[in-house]
C-alpha cells in the first residue's frame, strides 16, 4: 500500500503492476533506502523526485534486479518475485535506462539494441533481422538518421542516449524506467521522447520517470513520488502540489538563503582569462568571452553542448585548438595540465566525473589531497612528510571533510566528501583560475551550500572561476554572468537580473525567447 | 613402415640413395660409426653445388662459432670452387619453421642441406621430399633418430664413457663416495646419450659411488647455482662429470672453497684455462668436446655425396679431447682469449683447418 | 577507521609468502634429514648463499616491479641483462660497470619512449626490443670476438664478502633501501602509484605521466643491466642467453609479492619476499633432484595457490 | 559513404596487416625460383599453421580483455599427447584426434575456471597454468619421440590430390576435383577453422558477449549478459584452437616434443600476431581472422631470409627490427588523437 497524504485521493486506478514493500538497502554505513513502499500501475507515468543521493537510483536498481534489497519484498502482479539480475527483470518485462549509460562502445548500434537477446537463426545471430529490428525501433523514436551499423563510440552523446532508449524499447517492456535519461538530449529529441512516452502510456505501459527538471515532470507525469534520504515521503497526483511544497518535501525544509550574496563590484573587473575565437574539431565553435578576477562565470546549457570540451581546452588537454587564450594578459599555448597548474599559470580543473577523472579511489585521502601540490610539498623530489600532513590536515579542516583517518581509501568517503577532496586537491595549489565542471553532482544539499560559499570566498580573494553546472538553479544563485552553450557555441550571455530560469531554459533548448 | 610403403607406391619413383657395400670414401675423414653402419651412394651430380645450412637456435656461442666455421670453410680453396651458392639461416627453436626452411630450400632446388635438428624426430616428410628431389640432407650435432639419412656426429655415448673412465682412473682405488653429475638441457638427446654413456661405465665398473644429479642446462650460470646448492647440501664430492657450463661448475667449487677434485667437462676455453690454472691444486681435468667444426665436416660430406662417392650413413667424427697432462696454451686452449668459445674446431683428416682462434679470435672485419 | 585494515590488505601477501618460505625450508630440511641426516638448508652458509644468488633475481625484480606498478611490463629484461653484461666485459677496465649499466638505462629509455609517446602496448614493444637486442648481441659476439672476462670490481661485487656478508647481497640491500625510499618518500614514487591506479586522473592532476613512464622503464632497464653486470662477475664472464632464466621468475617474484599485475598496488617488501621464495623453491627442488616436469608443475601450482590465498578479488578489466 | 569510411577506419589495423602480408609474401614469391607454385604454397601453409592457430587462440581471451600466456603450453601439451594417439586403425586415430581436441579445450576451460571463479588476473593465472601444462607435456614426453601414422602425416601436409591419392579417394580424375586439387590441406584447414569455428562463435550470443565484456564490463552487466559464461567460453575456445595447433604440429613432425623454449616462442609470437592483426589488447575490438593474417605476416618476414642474402648473424637483428616496426604501426593513432585523455585508454 502506498502512503498518500491528505489532499486529493489517488484517482481509481488499475491493479498495480509492480509493488515494493518495506524495501531497505544499505551500502556499508550508508542507508540508501529505508522501509520503502512503492507501487506503479500500468497506463501511467510516475515521476520520482528527490535530492541527489535520495535513493532514486538505488530504488530503480532494485526494481531492475541490478542490486538486491537487504529487506522487503517485490510483488509483480501480486506474485512475489526476486530478480537474480537485470536479465531476469527484463524477462519479467521490467526494463530500466540507467543514469550511467549501459551501451557497449565497440559494438554497433544494431548489436547494442539487440544485445540481450538478438534474433537468431540456427542459434546464430541473424544480422539482417537485427538490423531491421534496430531500424524499426529507431524509426519509432524518430531517429532514422542513426545508421544501425555505426559503432556506439563514434556517436555523439545525445545520439547515444537515444540508442539507449531504443535499446530499452526493443525489449518490449511492461514497466519502463528512465533514470535521468534525458539529461543530454537536444530540445528536439526531448520532444520526440515525450511524444513516445505518452504513446506508450496509451498502450498501457507503466512508466517511471526520474528527473531533476521540474518542468519536464510538470509536462509529463500523472503521479509524483518524493524521496528524501532513503525514505519515501509522499505520493500525490501531479499538479496537486505547488513547486514550493514539493521542494519542501524533497529537502525537508524551505531553502532559506542557499546562496551567498553576490557582491556589487566596480565594472569592469581586471581580466584574468580572455578567450577569442576558440574552436576545436567542430565541437567548440568560435567561442569568445572573458572571465575577470573575482568573477564567477557560469556555463549553462544542456549536457554535452561543449562545456566539458571547453574546460579541457582551457586546461591544455585538447590538441589542435584554433583561436587565442590569454591568461592575465599573456597568450597561452598549453602543453598539458602539468603546465596549466604550474605557479606561472595557476589553473585548476575540477573534472566532471570525480570517480574516474578526479580521484584515485583506492588511494588514501592524503595521497589524493596532496597529489597536485606535491612539488611544492617536497624538497629535491623527496616528499616532506610533515609539511604534507600539516597541509592535508589544514585542508581537511578548512573544507570540513568528514572522514575517519586521512590514511583511509578515498573510496570510503561519501559522494559529497569525495567531491570536497577533489576541490581540496586543487585549493592546495593556490589557483588563480578555477575551472569547475559540475562540482555539485551527486552531492547533498548541505555540502552544496558549503561549496557555494567556498566558491564565493575564493572569488572574493581574487580568483577567477568558470563554473559549469547542469542545475540551472545553481547558475542563477552563484554566477555573476552565465554563458549558455549550444552545439559548442555561446548562444547567449546572461548578466545580473537577466539570469532567470526562463532565460536559461529557453536559450539552453535554443528556443529563442519562448519559455519552457 | 607399412603405411610408408603404400604412400611410396603412390609416389613417382623416389630417388633414394642406393644402399651399397663399403668401404666408403676417404675413411680417415668419414669414419663409419660401426661395422653395422651401411653405406649410401647418390647419383653423381655435376658441380658446383648450392648448399644451405639450416640452423635452429642461434643465441649461444657454440652456434655462432659453428656458423662462422661453416662460412669460412665455404671460402676455403678446394671447397670454394665446388660451391655455387652457400646460404645460412637460423630458424630459432621452432620445429615447424626449421622443417619449413628445409623444404623451402628443397623447393628452391638446392643440392644439399646441412642442418642441426631442433628435434630428433619429425623429419620424415622432408627426408621423403629430399629423396624425391635428389637432395642430400646432412643432420649433424643434434642428429635424428633415423637411419634414412646421412648424418655426422661425435659419439655422445662415448663422451660419457670416456669421462667415466677418466674419473675412475684419477680416483684410483677409491671405489665409493659421491660423484656430482651436472646434466644438460632436459629432453635433449645429446644430454640423454652422454648421461647414459656415463652411467653405463659407472654402473659396470664402480657401482659403489653415489651419483648426485643436478640440471645445468649447459648454461654456466645455471650450472654454477645448481652446483653451489649441491655443495652446500652434500658438503663433499670426490669427482665431477659436467656437460657444458663447466666453468660454472668449477666456479662454484672455488666459491665454496671445496678442494679441487677430478672433473670431466666440455671443451670451453674457459674450462681448459681453469684446468691449467688449478691442475696442481687437484683439478685433474678432462675436457672432451663437441666441435663446431662438425658443420664443415658435414658440408664436406654433403659435397662428397653429391659427387657420387660412397658415404657411411652415420659418420663418426673422433672426439677431440685433452686432459690436464696434455693442455698447452696457444695450442689446445688460449689463456688470452674469451672463456666462451669451444677450443676444438679444426679436423685435419678432413682438411678442416680453421682453428677456433681464426674464427673467434679475429676482430671486427667481415661481420657476416 | 585507522590505517590498520588497509595495511593488513597489502601486508597479507607478504605474511603468507613469508610463511611459505618457512614451509619450503621445513620441507627441504625434512628431505635432507632423511637423505643426508643433516639440516643443510638451515646452515648460515646455505642461507647466505641463497641470498647471494637471490640478489641477482631481486635486482631484476625491483626494476620489473616499478614497471608493473604502472600497469605495464618489460619483456626485454633477458637481453637487456645480457647486453649490459656483455658490453661491460667488452669494454672492461674501470668503465665496465658504468658502460654496462648505461646500456640498460638506454634500452629502458627506448622502451619508455615507445610506450609513453608512441603508446605501443609495453607487452609488445618490449618483446620487439628483446628481439632487437638479441640480434645485436649475436652480431657482437660473432663479429668482434669481444672480451668476455669480468673485471675485478664486477667479480668482487658479485662474490666478494664484507663483514661476512656476500657483496651481492649488500648491493641488493642497498638497492632495496633506495627502492623503498623511491616508492615511499619521493614524488616520483607517489606518481608511480597514482598512474598505476588511474592514468587519466593523474594526468588531469598535473602529473607528468609520460616522464614518469619513461623514468620507470629507464630504471627497470638499469636494474636488469646491473643484475647482468653482477651476474657476469659471479660467473666471471658474460655470455649469450645469460638473461633467459630471469624473465618469468622476476615477474613471478613481483606478483607473488602481492603487487597487482594491473598496477597501482603493491609493496616493495613483498617483491623481496617473492624473490627469496622463488630462489629457495628452485634451489630446494634442484637439490631434491626433482625432474623438470615436476618443477614446472610445482612452480605453476605455487603461484596459483599463493594468489588464491591472497584472496584478492580484483576487477578483471584493466 | 560514411558507413564505408567507418568500416575501413574500424578495420584499419587489419587493412595494414593485409598490406604488410601482401608486401612480404609477394616479394618472397616473386624472387622464389618456384614462386607462386603449389609446392611453395604447401610448404608455407604447413610452416604457418601452428602459429596461425596459436594466434587465433590468443585472440579470443584478448577480445574479452585478458591475455592467455598458456597458449604455447597447451599447444605443446596436446602435441605430446597426440604423439601417442595418432597411430593404429582409422577409428583409433579418429578417437585420438577427438581426445586431443578435448584435452586442449579442457585445458582452456581450466584456465577459464581459475580466472572466473578464482578471480585471478588472466595474465598471471595463465602464466601459472602454462607452467603446469608444460610440466604435463614434459611428463608425457621426457624426450622427443612418438609415432604418427605415416599416411596421415603425409596426406594432411600436402595438397588435396596427394590426400586423395594416399587414401585412394575418387581417383583424382574427377573434373570438379581437379579444380581444387592444388589446394594445400593446411590452407583448407585454416579456412575451415575460420568458417566453422570462429565466424559461428562470433555470431553466437556468447561470442557477442565476449566482445561486450572486453569493451565495457559494466555495460555488459547492466545489459544482463552472462559475463562469466563468456569468459569461460573464451578461454575454452582458446584452448581448443591451441589444441588444433598442437595436433597439427604432431602430424607435421610425426612426433611429440615438450620443447619449453618453443612453447614460449609460440605464446609471445601469438600476442605479436594478435596486435599486428589489428586486435586491441584492451579487448572489445578485432577478430581472429585478423590474427590469422598477423601470424602470416610474422612468418612471411622470415620467409624472405631464404631468398635474400642477409648475413646469417645479422638475420636476428633484422627480424627484431621488422617486428618492432610492425607492432609500432598502430602508433599513428597517437598523432591523430586530438583529446589527450583518449590516449590514457
Ligand atoms: N555503489 C554504491 N556504494 C555505496 N553506496 C552507494 C552506492 N550507490 C549509491 N550509494 C548510496 O545510496 C544513496 C542513494 O544513492 P542513489 O544513487 O540512489 O541516489 P539518487 O537519488 O539516485 O541520487 P542522484 O539524484 O544523484 O541520482 C547515496 O547517497 C549513496 O550514499
Ligand atoms: N566504492 C565504494 N566503497 C565504499 N563506499 C562507497 C563506494 N562508493 C560509494 N560509497 C558510499 O556511497 C556514498 C557515495 O556514493 P555515491 O557517490 O554513489 O553517492 P551519490 O551521491 O549517489 O553519487 P552519484 O549520484 O554520482 O552516484 C558514500 O556514503 C560512500 O560511503
Ligand atoms: Mg546517484
Ligand atoms: Mg540517481
Amino acid at each position: 500500500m502506498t502512503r498518500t497524504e491528505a489532499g486529493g485521493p489517488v484517482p481509481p486506478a488499475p491493479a498495480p503492476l509492480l509493488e515494493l514493500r518495506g524495501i531497505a538497502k544499505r551500502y556499508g554505513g550508508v542507508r540508501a533506502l529505508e522501509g520503502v513502499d512503492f507501487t506503479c500501475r500500468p497506463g501511467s507515468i510516475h515521476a520520482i523526485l528527490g535530492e541527489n543521493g535520495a535513493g532514486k537510483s538505488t530504488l530503480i536498481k532494485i526494481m531492475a534486479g541490478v542490486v538486491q534489497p537487504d529487506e522487503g519484498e517485490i510483488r509483480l502482479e501480486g506474485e512475489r518475485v526476486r530478480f537474480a539480475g537485470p536479465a531476469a527483470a527484463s524477462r519479467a518485462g521490467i526494463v530500466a535506462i540507467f543514469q550511467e549509460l549501459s551501451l557497449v562502445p565497440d559494438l554497433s548500434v544494431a548489436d547494442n539494441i539487440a544485445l540481450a537477446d538478438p534474433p537468431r537463426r540456427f542459434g546464430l545471430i541473424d544480422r539482417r533481422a537485427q538490423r531491421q529490428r534496430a531500424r524499426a525501433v529507431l524509426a519509432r523514436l524518430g531517429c532514422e538518421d542513426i545508421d544501425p551499423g555505426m559503432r556506439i563510440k563514434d556517436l555523439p552523446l545525445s545520439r547515444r542516449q537515444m540508442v539507449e532508449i531504443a535499446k530499452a524499447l526493443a525489449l518490449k517492456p511492461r514497466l519502463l524506467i528512465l533514470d535521468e535519461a534525458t539529461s543530454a538530449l537536444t530540445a528536439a529529441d526531448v520532444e520526440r521522447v515525450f511524444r513516445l512516452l505518452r504513446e506508450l502510456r496509451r498502450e498501457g505501459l507503466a512508466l517511471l520517470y526520474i528527473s531533476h527538471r521540474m518542468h519536464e515532470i510538470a509536462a509529463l507525469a500523472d503521479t509524483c513520488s518524493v524521496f528524501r534520504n532513503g525514505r519515501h515521503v509522499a505520493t500525490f497526483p501531479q499538479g496537486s502540489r505547488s513547486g514550493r511544497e514539493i521542494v519542501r518535501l524533497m529537502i525537508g525544509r524551505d531553502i532559506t538563503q542557499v546562496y551567498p550574496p553576490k557582491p556589487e563590484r566596480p565594472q569592469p573587473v581586471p581580466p584574468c582569462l580572455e578567450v577569442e575565437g576558440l574552436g576545436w574539431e567542430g565541437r567548440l565553435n568560435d567561442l569568445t568571452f572573458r572571465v575577470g578576477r573575482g568573477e564567477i562565470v557560469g556555463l549553462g546549457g544542456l549536457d554535452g553542448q561543449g562545456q566539458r570540451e571547453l574546460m579541457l581546452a582551457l586546461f591544455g588537454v585538447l590538441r589542435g585548438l584554433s583561436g587565442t587564450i590569454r591568461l592575465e594578459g599573456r597568450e597561452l599555448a598549453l602543453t598539458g595540465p602539468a603546465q596549466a597548474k604550474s605557479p606561472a599559470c595557476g589553473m585548476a580543473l575540477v573534472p566532471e566525473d570525480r570517480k574516474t577523472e578526479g580521484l584515485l579511489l583506492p588511494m588514501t585521502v592524503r595521497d589524493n589531497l596532496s597529489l597536485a601540490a606535491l612539488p611544492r610539498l617536497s624538497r629535491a623530489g623527496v616528499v616532506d612528510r610533515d609539511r604534507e600532513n600539516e597541509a592535508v590536515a589544514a585542508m581537511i579542516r578548512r573544507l570540513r571533510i568528514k572522514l575517519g583517518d586521512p590514511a583511509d581509501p578515498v573510496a570510503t568517503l561519501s559522494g559529497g566528501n569525495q567531491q570536497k577532496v577533489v576541490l581540496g586537491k586543487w585549493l592546495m595549489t593556490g589557483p588563480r583560475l578555477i575551472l569547475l565542471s559540475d562540482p555539485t553532482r551527486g552531492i547533498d544539499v548541505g555540502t552544496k551550500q558549503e561549496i557555494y560559499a567556498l566558491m564565493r570566498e575564493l572569488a572574493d580573494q581574487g580568483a577567477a572561476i568558470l563554473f559549469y553546472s547542469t542545475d540551472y538553479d545553481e547558475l542563477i544563485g552563484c554566477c555573476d554572468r552565465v554563458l549558455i552553450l549550444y552545439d559548442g557555441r555561446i548562444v547567449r550571455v546572461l548578466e545580473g537580473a537577466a539570469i532567470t530560469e526562463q532565460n536559461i531554459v529557453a536559450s539552453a533548448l535554443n528556443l529563442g525567447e519562448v519559455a519552457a | 613402415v607399412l603405411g610408408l610403403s603404400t604412400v611410396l607406391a603412390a609416389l613417382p619413383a623416389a630417388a633414394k640413395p642406393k644402399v651399397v657395400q663399403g668401404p666408403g670414401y676417404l675413411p680417415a675423414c668419414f669414419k663409419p660409426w660401426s661395422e653395422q653402419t651401411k653405406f649410401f651412394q647418390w647419383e653423381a651430380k655435376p658441380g658446383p653445388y648450392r648448399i644451405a645450412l639450416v640452423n635452429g637456435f642461434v643465441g649461444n656461442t657454440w652456434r655462432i662459432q659453428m656458423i662462422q666455421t661453416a662460412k669460412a670453410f665455404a671460402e676455403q680453396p678446394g671447397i670454394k670452387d665446388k660451391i655455387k651458392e652457400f646460404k645460412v639461416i637460423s630458424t630459432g627453436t621452432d620445429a615447424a619453421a626449421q622443417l619449413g626452411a628445409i623444404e623451402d630450400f628443397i623447393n628452391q632446388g638446392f643440392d644439399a642441406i646441412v642442418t642441426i635438428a631442433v628435434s630428433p624426430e619429425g623429419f620424415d616428410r622432408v627426408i621423403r621430399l629430399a629423396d624425391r628431389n635428389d637432395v642430400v640432407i646432412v643432420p649433424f650435432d643434434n642428429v635424428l633418430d633415423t637411419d634414412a639419412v646421412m648424418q655426422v656426429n661425435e659419439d655422445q655415448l662415448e663422451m660419457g664413457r670416456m669421462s667415466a673412465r677418466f674419473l675412475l682412473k684419477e680416483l684410483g682405488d677409491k671405489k665409493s663416495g659421491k660423484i656430482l653429475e651436472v646434466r644438460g638441457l632436459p629432453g635433449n638427446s645429446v644430454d640423454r646419450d652422454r648421461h647414459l654413456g656415463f652411467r653405463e661405465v659407472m654402473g659396470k665398473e664402480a657401482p659403489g659411488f653415489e651419483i648426485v644429479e643436478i640440471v645445468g642446462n649447459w648454461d654456466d650460470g645455471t650450472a654454477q647455482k645448481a652446483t653451489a646448492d649441491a655443495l652446500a647440501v652434500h658438503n663433499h664430492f670426490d669427482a665431477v662429470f659436467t656437460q657444458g657450463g663447466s666453468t660454472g661448475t668449477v666456479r662454484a667449487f672455488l666459491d665454496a672453497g671445496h678442494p679441487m677434485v677430478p672433473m670431466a667437462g666440455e671443451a670451453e676455453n674457459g674450462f681448459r684455462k681453469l684446468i691449467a690454472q688449478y691442475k696442481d691444486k687437484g683439478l685433474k681435468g678432462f675436457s672432451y668436446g663437441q666441435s663446431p667444426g662438425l658443420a664443415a665436416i658435414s658440408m664436406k660430406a654433403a659435397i662428397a655425396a653429391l659427387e657420387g662417392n660412397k658415404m657411411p650413413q652415420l659418420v663418426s667424427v673422433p672426439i677431440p679431447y685433452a686432459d690436464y697432462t696434455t693442455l698447452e696454451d696457444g695450442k689446445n686452449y688460449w689463456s688470452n682469449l674469451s672463456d666462451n668459445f669451444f677450443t676444438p674446431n679444426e679436423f685435419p683428416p678432413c682438411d678442416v683447418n680453421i682453428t677456433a682462434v681464426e674464427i673467434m679470435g679475429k676482430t671486427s672485419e667481415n661481420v657476416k | 577507521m585507522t590505517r590498520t585494515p588497509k595495511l593488513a590488505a597489502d601486508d597479507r601477501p607478504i605474511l603468507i609468502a613469508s610463511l611459505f618460505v618457512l614451509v619450503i625450508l621445513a620441507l627441504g630440511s625434512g628431505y635432507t634429514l632423511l637423505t643426508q641426516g643433516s639440516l643443510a638448508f638451515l646452515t648460515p652458509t646455505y642461507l647466505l648463499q641463497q641470498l647471494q644468488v637471490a640478489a641477482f633475481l631481486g635486482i631484476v625484480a625491483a626494476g620489473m616491479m616499478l614497471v608493473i606498478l604502472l600497469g605495464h611490463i618489460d619483456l626485454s629484461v633477458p637481453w637487456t641483462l645480457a647486453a649490459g653484461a656483455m658490453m661491460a666485459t667488452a669494454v672492461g677496465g674501470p668503465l665496465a660497470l658504468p658502460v654496462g649499466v648505461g646500456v640498460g638505462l638506454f634500452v629502458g629509455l627506448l622502451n619508455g619512449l615507445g610506450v609513453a609517446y608512441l603508446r605501443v602496448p609495453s607487452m609488445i614493444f618490449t618483446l620487439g626490443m628483446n628481439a632487437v637486442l638479441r640480434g645485436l648481441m649475436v652480431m657482437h659476439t660473432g663479429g668482434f670476438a669481444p672480451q668476455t672476462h669480468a673485471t675485478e670490481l664486477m667479480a668482487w661485487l658479485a662474490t666478494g664478502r664484507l663483514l661476512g656478508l656476500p657483496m651481492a647481497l649488500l648491493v641488493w640491500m642497498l638497492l632495496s633501501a633506495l627502492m623503498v625510499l623511491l616508492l615511499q618518500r619521493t614524488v616520483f614514487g607517489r606518481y608511480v602509484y597514482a598512474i598505476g591506479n588511474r592514468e587519466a586522473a593523474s594526468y588531469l592532476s598535473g602529473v607528468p605521466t609520460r616522464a614518469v613512464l619513461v623514468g620507470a622503464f629507464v630504471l627497470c632497464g638499469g636494474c636488469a643491466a646491473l643484475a647482468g653486470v653482477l651476474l657476469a662477475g659471479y660467473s666471471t664472464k658474460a655470455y649469450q642467453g645469460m638473461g633467459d632464466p630471469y624473465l618469468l621468475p622476476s615477474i613471478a617474484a613481483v606478483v607473488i609479492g602481492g603487487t597487482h599485475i594491473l598496477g597501482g598496488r603493491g609493496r616493495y617488501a613483498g617483491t623481496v619476499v617473492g624473490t627469496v621464495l622463488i630462489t629457495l623453491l628452485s634451489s630446494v627442488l634442484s637439490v631434491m633432484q626433482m625432474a623438470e616436469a615436476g618443477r614446472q608443475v610445482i612452480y605453476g601450482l605455487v603461484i596459483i595457490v599463493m594468489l588464491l590465498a591472497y584472496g584478492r578479488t580484483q576487477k578483471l578489466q584493466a | 559513404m560514411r558507413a564505408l569510411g567507418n568500416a575501413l577506419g574500424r578495420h584499419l589495423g587489419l587493412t595494414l596487416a593485409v598490406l604488410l602480408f601482401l608486401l612480404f609474401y609477394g616479394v618472397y614469391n616473386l624472387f622464389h625460383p618456384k614462386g607462386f607454385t603449389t609446392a611453395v604454397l604447401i610448404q608455407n601453409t604447413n610452416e604457418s599453421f601452428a602459429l596461425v592457430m596459436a594466434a587465433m587462440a590468443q585472440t579470443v581471451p584478448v577480445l574479452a580483455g585478458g591475455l592467455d600466456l598458456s597458449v604455447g603450453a597447451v599447444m605443446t601439451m596436446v602435441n605430446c599427447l597426440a604423439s601417442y594417439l595418432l597411430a593404429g586403425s582409422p577409428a583409433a586415430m579418429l578417437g585420438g584426434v577427438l581426445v586431443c581436441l578435448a584435452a586442449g579445450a579442457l585445458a582452456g576451460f581450466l584456465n577459464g575456471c581459475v580466472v572466473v571463479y578464482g578471480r585471478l588476473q588472466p595474465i598471471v593465472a595463465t602464466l601459472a597454468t602454462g607452467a603446469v601444462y608444460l610440466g604435463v607435456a614434459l611428463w608425457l614426453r621426457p624426450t622427443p619421440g612418438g609415432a604418427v601414422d605415416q599416411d596421415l602425416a603425409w596426406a594432411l601436409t600436402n595438397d588435396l590430390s596427394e590426400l586423395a591419392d594416399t587414401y585412394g579417394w575418387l581417383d583424382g580424375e574427377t573434373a570438379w576435383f581437379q579444380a581444387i586439387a592444388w589446394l594445400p590441406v593446411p590452407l583448407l584447414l585454416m579456412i575451415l577453422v575460420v568458417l566453422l569455428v570462429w565466424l559461428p562463435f562470433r555470431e553466437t550470443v556468447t561470442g557477442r558477449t565476449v566482445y561486450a565484456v572486453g569493451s565495457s564490463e559494466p555495460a555488459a552487466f547492466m545489459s544482463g549478459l552472462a559475463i562469466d559464461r563468456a569468459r569461460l567460453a573464451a578461454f575454452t575456445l582458446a584452448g581448443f584452437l591451441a589444441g588444433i595447433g598442437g595436433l597439427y604440429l604432431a602430424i607435421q613432425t610425426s612426433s611429440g616434443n615438450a620443447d619449453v623454449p618453443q612453447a614460449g616462442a609460440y605464446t609471445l609470437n601469438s600476442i605479436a600476431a594478435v596486435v599486428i592483426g589489428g586486435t586491441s589488447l584492451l579487448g572489445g575490438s578485432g577478430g581472429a581472422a585478423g590474427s590469422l593474417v598477423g601470424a602470416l605476416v610474422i612468418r612471411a618476414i622470415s620467409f624472405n631470409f631464404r631468398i635474400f642474402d642477409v648475413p646469417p648473424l645479422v638475420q636476428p637483428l633484422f627480424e627484431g627490427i621488422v617486428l618492432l616496426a610492425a607492432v609500432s604501426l598502430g602508433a599513428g593513432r597517437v598523432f591523430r588523437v586530438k583529446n589527450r585523455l583518449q590516449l590514457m585508454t
Side-chain angles (χ1 to χ4, degrees), chain A residues 27 30 32 50-59 61 99 180 212 442:
Chain A
Y27 290 106
V30 190
E51 279 290 316
N52 294 108
K56 308 183 294 295
S57 296
T58 307
L59 178 75
K61 287 174 181 166
Q99 222 173 345
E180 295 177 34
H212 291 296

Side-chain angles (χ1 to χ4, degrees), chain B residues 57-61 64 68 178 186 210-215 219-222 224-226 228-230 232-235 247-248 251 255 268 273 336-340 359-367, chain C residues 32 36 38 40-41 43 46 49-50 52-53 56 79 134 137-139 141-149 159 231 234-242 244-246 282-284 286-287 289-290 292 295:
Chain B
F57 178 64
V58 71
N60 71 37
T61 314
I64 293 173
Q68 298 291 65
K178 276 188 190 167
E210 178 195 346
I211 299 177
V212 176
E213 245 183 70
I214 55 174
V215 176
D219 170 87
D220 292 274
T222 315
Q224 188 172 357
K225 284 193 206 112
D229 291 342
V233 172
H234 296 272
N235 298 321
T247 46
R251 284 290 155 202
D255 294 345
E268 306 106 330
K273 282 190 201 171
N336 60 331
L337 290 181
S338 157
D339 282 4
N340 293 339
I359 297 300
M360 302 310 281
K362 70 169 159 38
T363 43
S364 71
E365 94 286 357
N366 88 315
V367 187
Chain C
T32 50
Q36 315 297 319
S38 75
F41 286 128
T43 60
Y46 176 80
Q49 177 186 315
Q50 290 313 305
Q52 177 190 13
V53 171
F56 309 125
W79 283 91
R134 192 207 294 117
M137 288 308 107
V138 167
M139 268 177 61
T141 305
F144 303 95
Q147 188 48 262
T148 61
H149 198 73
T159 55
L231 206 55
Y234 177 66
S235 33
T236 67
K237 63 177 195 174
Y239 56 95
Q240 301 257 339
M242 62 194 289
D244 294 344
Y246 286 84
S282 61
S283 162
V284 168
S286 153
V287 171
Q289 305 183 37
M290 168 77 62
E292 185 65 13
R295 293 184 202 206

Side-chain angles (χ1 to χ4, degrees), chain C residues 117-128:
Chain C
Y117 285 82
L118 298 185
R119 290 278 159 183
V120 180
S122 53
M123 171 78 75
I124 283 302
F125 193 87
T126 55
L127 178 63

Side-chain angles (χ1 to χ4, degrees), chain A residues 106 125 127 154 167 316 319, chain D residues 203 215 223 334 337-338 340:
Chain A
D106 287 295
I125 295 171
R127 286 183 174 278
D154 301 329
K167 179 181 168 190
R319 281 207 199 112
Chain D
E203 297 307 315
S215 179
S223 313
V334 174
V337 167
K338 289 278 179 260
R340 296 197 177 91

Side-chain angles (χ1 to χ4, degrees), chain C residues 131-203:
Chain C
V132 171
L133 288 170
R134 192 207 294 117
L136 285 171
M137 288 308 107
V138 167
M139 268 177 61
H140 174 68
T141 305
F144 303 95
Q147 188 48 262
T148 61
H149 198 73
T151 63
E152 295 306 321
L153 177 61
M154 287 159 71
W156 180 70
L157 283 177
T159 55
R161 290 197 167 235
L162 201 67
L163 327 164
L165 292 179
M167 274 308 293
L169 176 56
L170 295 177
V171 174
W172 184 27
M173 282 162 64
L174 178 65
L175 182 82
S176 299
L178 293 176
M179 277 292 289
V180 173
L181 182 72
L182 186 76
L183 289 175
Q184 306 276 320
R185 289 303 173 85
T186 65
V187 175
F188 179 85
R190 194 72 65 83
Y191 285 169
V192 167
Y193 282 98
I195 296 172
N197 269 295
R198 204 173 270 284
E199 190 172 3
S202 312
Y203 174 73

Side-chain angles (χ1 to χ4, degrees), chain B residues 78-154:
Chain B
I79 300 296
K80 195 179 187 349
D81 48 5
K82 289 183 178 170
I83 298 181
K84 191 195 313 168
E85 179 182 6
F86 181 56
K87 194 163 254 137
V88 183
I89 66 149
S90 302
T91 58
T93 61
D94 179 347
Q98 183 174 47
L99 295 171
I102 293 174
E103 187 171 334
D104 198 333
F105 284 122
I106 294 175
N107 286 336
Q108 287 187 44
F110 275 66
D111 303 297
I113 298 165
V114 291
T115 181
I116 299 182
V118 168
S119 155
E121 298 281 343
F123 276 60
D124 316 30
R125 172 185 170 79
V126 285
I127 291 173
R128 194 178 306 182
L129 290 171
D131 290 342
R132 286 172 78 176
N133 299 283
D134 287 320
V135 177
V136 179
I137 295 189
V138 188
F140 67 99
D141 181 36
N142 284 351
V143 292
L144 306 179
D145 300 346
T146 171
D147 63 356
V149 285
M150 175 171 69
Q151 313 197 69
V152 175
N153 204 7
E154 299 173 17

